[in-house]
Amino acid sequence: MKINKKLPTPPNKRIALYVKPAAERALRNGHPWLFEEAIQRQNREGQAGDLAVIFDRKDRFLAIGLYDPRSPIRVRILQQNDPAAIDQDWFRERFLEASRLRDSLLETGTNGYRMVHGENDGLPGLVIDRYDHNYVIKLDTAAWIPRLADVLPALLSVVTAERLVLRLSRSAQSIAKSDIDLLDGEILAGSPLKEPALFQENRLNFEADLIHGQKTGFFFDQRENRATLEKIIAGREDIDAMLNVFAYTGGFSLYAARAGARNITSLDSSQPALDTAVKNFELNQDIKSISTVSHKLACGDAFQVLEIYGSEGRRFDSVVIDPPSFANRQSDVGRALNAYRRLTRLGLSVLRPGGLLVMSSCSSRVGAEEFYTNINRVASRNDRPLSELTSTRHALDHPVNFPQGAYLKCLFAIAD
Ligand code: SAH
């Protein structure tokens, strides 16, 4: 498969860096980031995508990583302890490892999942999501672009892909455009993508818009939570009406429908996402409980819609609340907790007594215990104490290998 001609040849110049003792310790402990302020000196100015070799006070090799002069995370660490050539073979080894870790998913009727989870798979700032034969390469930083000419052949030597699609974080978008005219959504290898990509998750069919969809097109991190919801609903006779708040393309809704919930409402502020939710129901008409379900859409702001439903006296047997991250900075944490408390109160206001509440958070700056404590406190204060059925963390394709990598937590509970 031909690779996009715009991609530059990887630079082989290296920068030598010397860092403060605290950073030395952090790197020895395997931390994947070196911050700008931890650098004591360096032998030259570097370009984005150069390789930086980090030495300790005694001039011994500490780590090698990807240099990023425009980011406070100045170096993203690729390898610690032993020096290595960061070339196609090196990337191939990482991809083989990442791929092996996810092998067991294939036996569950799943060919859409996260194949590379950035830092947590030893490739900081690089995410690869698989949608059957389509692979989306999501870059947090433009510093990866000069390495793509090595990364892509390595990936293609490990997976059978028809197409590689590039997605860029907001900060990477402007740099990619100005530096080499590379756009978010650009095809890096393979033919243009004219249709949504099809894939399976736990034997349910889905489609996703890999070019314009949120993140890379789908939220694979919720797969096991969706399956947990299905299991809980299937085991109970009393869950018929389900409200999926922040539904995106209907993931939780479909699992609930397969489990036997008969009246499902998907609520989201994005109409394109809800349109895809409708298509995802159409893609699963061979499953009887899905073909006969009543699936309604509500497009609007979740907080407002929940407020209205509550005042109208609408009640559901289950409410799932999976909001976007509310804390992108440390200073947002207070506001994020406030939003979680409000959503808990609003969710309970439309949940019948004895109903199932599912509350999820993907804000890495809000710890799991803090999140659960806040939810429980609001529930008790509203005379709706919760009995926890289970609470979950990360799925196997979203491993956690450093403290900031832990972001997902989800509570399943019955409310009085
Ligand atoms: N539960 C989904 C993923 C949710 S992602 C799944 O399983 O796939 C968060 C979603 O919240 C996005 O679809 C986004 O469009 C939506 N969103 C963000 N802010 C919102 C708001 N204020 N009201 C309603 N939806 C919102």
Side-chain angles (χ1 to χ4, degrees), residues 315-319 347-353 355-357 384 415:
R315 297 293 178 268
F316 297 84
D317 304 311
S318 173
V319 177
L348 289 170
S349 76
V350 298
L351 184 70
R352 66 141 167 96
L356 170 68
L357 179 70
R384 303 287 304 274

Side-chain angles (χ1 to χ4, degrees), residues 166-237:
L166 176 70
R167 295 298 302 267
L168 298 164
S169 69
R170 199 160 301 158
S171 65
Q173 281 179 25
S174 54
I175 297 167
K177 171 100 182 69
S178 62
D179 285 9
I180 56 166
D181 196 28
L182 205 57
L183 299 176
D184 182 44
E186 187 142 347
I187 304 297
L188 292 175
S191 55
L193 184 57
K194 300 208 175 78
E195 305 276 328
L198 295 171
F199 63 97
Q200 283 207 322
E201 187 187 86
N202 286 316
R203 301 193 168 79
L204 283 168
N205 297 312
F206 287 94
E207 65 166 54
D209 181 342
L210 308 189
I211 294 176
H212 307 104
Q214 297 185 35
K215 306 282 176 183
T216 69
F218 199 66
F219 292 88
F220 292 126
D221 53 359
Q222 290 288 11
R223 180 187 59 257
E224 289 183 7
N225 289 331
R226 292 189 274 261
T228 299
L229 176 76
E230 175 173 13
K231 213 186 258 168
I232 294 172
I233 295 181
R236 303 175 66 108
E237 298 283 294

Side-chain angles (χ1 to χ4, degrees), residues 201 206 214-215 217-223 226 244-253 267-271 273-274 298-305 320-326 360 362:
E201 187 187 86
F206 287 94
Q214 297 185 35
K215 306 282 176 183
F218 199 66
F219 292 88
F220 292 126
D221 53 359
Q222 290 288 11
R223 180 187 59 257
R226 292 189 274 261
N244 183 5
V245 188
F246 305 98
Y248 191 49
T249 56
F252 281 101
S253 302
L267 161 58
D268 202 279
S269 58
S270 161
Q271 188 59 50
L274 292 173
C299 187
D301 172 66
F303 294 87
Q304 286 176 6
V305 175
V320 173
I321 302 181
D322 174 27
S325 172
F326 288 134
S360 186
C362 61

